Amino acid sequence: MPLMVRLIRTRSDSAEHRQTREQETPPDFFYFSDFERHNAEIAAFHLDKILDFRRVPPVAGRLVNMTKEIRDVTRDKKLWRTFFISPANNVCFYGECSYYCSTEHALCGKPDQIEGSLAAFLPDLALAKRKTWRNPWRRSYHKRKKAEWEVDPDYCEEVKQTPPYDSGTRLLDIMDMTVFDFLMGNMDRHHYETFEKFGNETFIIHLDNGRGFGKHSHDEVSILVPLTQCCRIRKSTHLRLQLLAKEEYKLSVLMSESLVRDRLSPILIQPHLHAMDRRLRQVLNVLSDCVEKEGYTYVVEDDLQGPDRAHPGPRQR
């Protein structure tokens, strides 16, 4: 199976800022300046599986030999030319990309070993074209400006009248993704992808989760705004969240048991696991408030009636 490697700067000796498992994202960092963490990609795959979404391609952690497994086998001459030996005698490379690809932002081994996450490639675009969509609740990615959803409490009503959110299950997919992102503290969901072939009868692929699990001491409630504004959730998702809040199926315990199988274990420190339990309770509290305000049948979409059941469009208040 073809693989793509995400080599993130976690355990490297170069001068660029690094994050160990124990470090949190500095409080003065904007979400768009946060580090990309390979362990977040690994943990996101396991979380997605436990939530029973199964929309993250398989990801596994590996210790990679940069010399034997990348430099000496690559056929990409441009990539090969970016390899160098650092003053500390470590093997480094920086690749080719739009930004942060320079000797100042290089990935360095120790001396040539580096942790990374390996993700299974999606089908080739020639076989399965994908469409990129702008997330309706995308952040402004600006130091001072706010996005429309941050200033308009009725923003969801506008979204529900806009294709593809005015029919099918796309809005419910966004709610699933919102819960997923809140549990891991990911603020960087600016776009998402779907398989083009299935039109609006498709699902969101949960790609690019490297900015999750940056802070365990802070719960970014703004990530939950789509849920608080729309008050909509699948019944299957609601039941799964309620199950994971029970002591015998505790989310943090299931995550710990799942992650211990990865070769780079421990993937997350205990405070991150406890933070997921805490955030899960907050999600359930939001849904409880929604049900109290709007009624159970408005909030919870019954998706457990079988494949022949028609999917109604988003309900209007």
Side-chain angles (χ1 to χ4, degrees), residues 6-18 29 32-36 66 79 82-84 86-87 90-109 114 211:
R6 187 188 193 97
L7 292 172
I8 305 302
R9 316 163 175 82
T10 312
R11 293 190 179 173
S12 152
D13 282 341
S14 84
E16 174 66 12
H17 290 97
R18 306 293 179 226
F29 271 38
F32 48 80
S33 303
D34 195 3
F35 302 112
E36 297 264 1
M66 297 166 64
L79 172 63
T82 70
F83 276 84
F84 64 94
S86 76
N90 293 318
V91 176
C92 306
F93 80 102
Y94 53 86
E96 284 210 336
C97 61
S98 303
Y99 52 93
Y100 295 137
C101 282
S102 64
T103 52
E104 293 79 17
H105 299 92
L107 305 181
C108 295
I114 191 169
R211 283 184 169 150

